[in-house]
Short mmCIF file of all heavy atoms in Angstrom, two decimals:
data_model
loop_
_atom_site.label_atom_id
_atom_site.label_comp_id
_atom_site.label_asym_id
_atom_site.label_seq_id
_atom_site.Cartn_x
_atom_site.Cartn_y
_atom_site.Cartn_z
N SER A 410 130.12 68.28 144.06
CA SER A 410 130.69 67.32 145.01
C SER A 410 131.88 67.98 145.68
O SER A 410 132.85 68.35 145.01
CB SER A 410 131.11 66.04 144.28
OG SER A 410 131.69 65.12 145.19
N LEU A 411 131.78 68.15 147.03
CA LEU A 411 132.81 68.84 147.80
C LEU A 411 133.27 67.93 148.94
O LEU A 411 132.47 67.47 149.74
CB LEU A 411 132.27 70.16 148.38
CG LEU A 411 133.25 71.01 149.17
CD1 LEU A 411 134.43 71.43 148.31
CD2 LEU A 411 132.53 72.23 149.75
N SER A 412 134.58 67.64 149.00
CA SER A 412 135.12 66.76 150.04
C SER A 412 136.53 67.24 150.38
O SER A 412 137.44 67.15 149.56
CB SER A 412 135.15 65.31 149.55
OG SER A 412 135.75 64.48 150.54
N THR A 413 136.72 67.80 151.58
CA THR A 413 138.03 68.21 152.09
C THR A 413 138.13 67.68 153.52
O THR A 413 137.91 68.40 154.48
CB THR A 413 138.17 69.73 152.04
OG1 THR A 413 137.13 70.29 152.84
CG2 THR A 413 138.10 70.26 150.63
N ALA A 414 138.40 66.38 153.72
CA ALA A 414 138.25 65.78 155.04
C ALA A 414 139.25 64.65 155.23
O ALA A 414 139.78 64.09 154.28
CB ALA A 414 136.84 65.25 155.22
N PHE A 415 139.43 64.35 156.54
CA PHE A 415 140.11 63.12 156.93
C PHE A 415 139.02 62.05 157.11
O PHE A 415 138.07 62.26 157.87
CB PHE A 415 140.89 63.32 158.24
CG PHE A 415 141.99 64.35 158.11
CD1 PHE A 415 141.80 65.65 158.54
CD2 PHE A 415 143.21 64.00 157.55
CE1 PHE A 415 142.80 66.59 158.41
CE2 PHE A 415 144.22 64.94 157.45
CZ PHE A 415 144.02 66.25 157.87
N ALA A 416 139.18 60.96 156.40
CA ALA A 416 138.18 59.89 156.40
C ALA A 416 136.80 60.44 156.05
O ALA A 416 135.90 60.49 156.89
CB ALA A 416 138.14 59.19 157.76
N PRO A 417 136.59 60.92 154.81
CA PRO A 417 135.30 61.55 154.45
C PRO A 417 134.16 60.56 154.48
O PRO A 417 133.00 60.97 154.60
CB PRO A 417 135.57 62.08 153.04
CG PRO A 417 136.69 61.23 152.52
CD PRO A 417 137.54 60.90 153.69
N THR A 418 134.44 59.26 154.36
CA THR A 418 133.36 58.27 154.41
C THR A 418 133.28 57.55 155.75
O THR A 418 132.69 56.49 155.87
CB THR A 418 133.55 57.24 153.29
OG1 THR A 418 134.82 56.59 153.47
CG2 THR A 418 133.51 57.89 151.93
N GLY A 419 133.94 58.08 156.83
CA GLY A 419 133.93 57.44 158.15
C GLY A 419 135.23 56.65 158.41
O GLY A 419 136.12 56.58 157.56
N ILE A 420 135.33 56.06 159.67
CA ILE A 420 136.53 55.30 160.09
C ILE A 420 136.16 53.83 160.24
O ILE A 420 135.19 53.49 160.93
CB ILE A 420 137.10 55.83 161.42
CG1 ILE A 420 137.54 57.30 161.24
CG2 ILE A 420 138.26 54.97 161.90
CD1 ILE A 420 138.03 57.91 162.53
N SER A 421 136.87 52.99 159.54
CA SER A 421 136.70 51.55 159.67
C SER A 421 138.10 50.94 159.76
O SER A 421 138.76 50.65 158.75
CB SER A 421 135.93 51.01 158.44
OG SER A 421 135.83 49.61 158.53
N THR A 422 138.65 50.74 161.06
CA THR A 422 140.02 50.30 161.29
C THR A 422 140.03 49.06 162.20
O THR A 422 139.22 48.99 163.16
CB THR A 422 140.85 51.42 161.95
OG1 THR A 422 140.79 52.58 161.12
CG2 THR A 422 142.28 51.00 162.13
N SER A 423 140.87 48.10 161.91
CA SER A 423 141.00 46.86 162.69
C SER A 423 142.39 46.79 163.35
O SER A 423 143.40 47.17 162.73
CB SER A 423 140.80 45.63 161.79
OG SER A 423 139.53 45.66 161.20
N LEU A 424 142.43 46.28 164.63
CA LEU A 424 143.67 46.08 165.35
C LEU A 424 144.06 44.60 165.24
O LEU A 424 143.29 43.72 165.68
CB LEU A 424 143.54 46.49 166.82
CG LEU A 424 144.77 46.35 167.71
CD1 LEU A 424 145.89 47.26 167.21
CD2 LEU A 424 144.42 46.67 169.16
N VAL A 425 145.21 44.29 164.67
CA VAL A 425 145.63 42.92 164.40
C VAL A 425 146.87 42.60 165.25
O VAL A 425 147.81 43.40 165.32
CB VAL A 425 145.94 42.73 162.91
CG1 VAL A 425 146.41 41.29 162.65
CG2 VAL A 425 144.71 43.08 162.08
N PHE A 426 146.84 41.40 165.97
CA PHE A 426 147.98 40.94 166.77
C PHE A 426 148.92 40.16 165.87
O PHE A 426 148.55 39.11 165.31
CB PHE A 426 147.51 40.08 167.92
CG PHE A 426 148.64 39.52 168.75
CD1 PHE A 426 149.48 40.38 169.47
CD2 PHE A 426 148.87 38.15 168.82
CE1 PHE A 426 150.51 39.87 170.24
CE2 PHE A 426 149.91 37.65 169.59
CZ PHE A 426 150.74 38.50 170.31
N ALA A 427 150.11 40.66 165.65
CA ALA A 427 151.15 40.04 164.81
C ALA A 427 152.45 39.97 165.60
O ALA A 427 153.29 40.88 165.52
CB ALA A 427 151.32 40.82 163.53
N PRO A 428 152.64 38.92 166.45
CA PRO A 428 153.84 38.86 167.29
C PRO A 428 155.10 38.64 166.47
O PRO A 428 155.03 38.11 165.34
CB PRO A 428 153.53 37.68 168.20
CG PRO A 428 152.61 36.83 167.41
CD PRO A 428 151.75 37.77 166.60
N ARG A 429 156.16 39.05 167.09
CA ARG A 429 157.46 38.87 166.43
C ARG A 429 157.85 37.40 166.48
O ARG A 429 157.40 36.65 167.32
CB ARG A 429 158.50 39.73 167.12
CG ARG A 429 158.27 41.23 166.93
CD ARG A 429 159.09 42.02 167.91
NE ARG A 429 158.53 41.84 169.26
CZ ARG A 429 159.10 42.30 170.34
NH1 ARG A 429 160.23 42.98 170.28
NH2 ARG A 429 158.56 42.10 171.53
N PRO A 430 158.76 36.96 165.58
CA PRO A 430 159.15 35.55 165.57
C PRO A 430 159.78 35.10 166.87
O PRO A 430 159.63 33.93 167.26
CB PRO A 430 160.12 35.48 164.40
CG PRO A 430 159.73 36.60 163.51
CD PRO A 430 159.28 37.69 164.43
N GLY A 431 160.44 35.97 167.63
CA GLY A 431 161.08 35.55 168.86
C GLY A 431 160.10 35.27 169.98
O GLY A 431 160.48 34.66 171.00
N ILE A 432 158.92 35.71 169.89
CA ILE A 432 157.94 35.53 170.96
C ILE A 432 157.17 34.23 170.78
O ILE A 432 156.83 33.54 171.74
CB ILE A 432 157.00 36.73 171.02
CG1 ILE A 432 157.78 38.01 171.37
CG2 ILE A 432 155.86 36.52 172.02
CD1 ILE A 432 156.94 39.24 171.36
N THR A 433 156.82 33.86 169.55
CA THR A 433 156.04 32.64 169.30
C THR A 433 156.86 31.42 169.54
O THR A 433 158.10 31.44 169.54
CB THR A 433 155.56 32.65 167.84
OG1 THR A 433 156.70 32.68 166.97
CG2 THR A 433 154.69 33.88 167.56
N THR A 434 156.19 30.26 169.77
CA THR A 434 156.85 28.97 169.99
C THR A 434 157.24 28.40 168.65
O THR A 434 156.38 28.25 167.75
CB THR A 434 155.90 28.02 170.71
OG1 THR A 434 155.48 28.61 171.91
CG2 THR A 434 156.59 26.68 170.98
#
Side-chain angles (χ1 to χ4, degrees):
S410 178
L411 182 60
S412 177
T413 59
F415 297 98
T418 59
I420 298 176
S421 177
T422 303
S423 300
L424 180 64
V425 179
F426 177 64
R429 292 165 290 173
I432 297 176
T433 60
T434 303

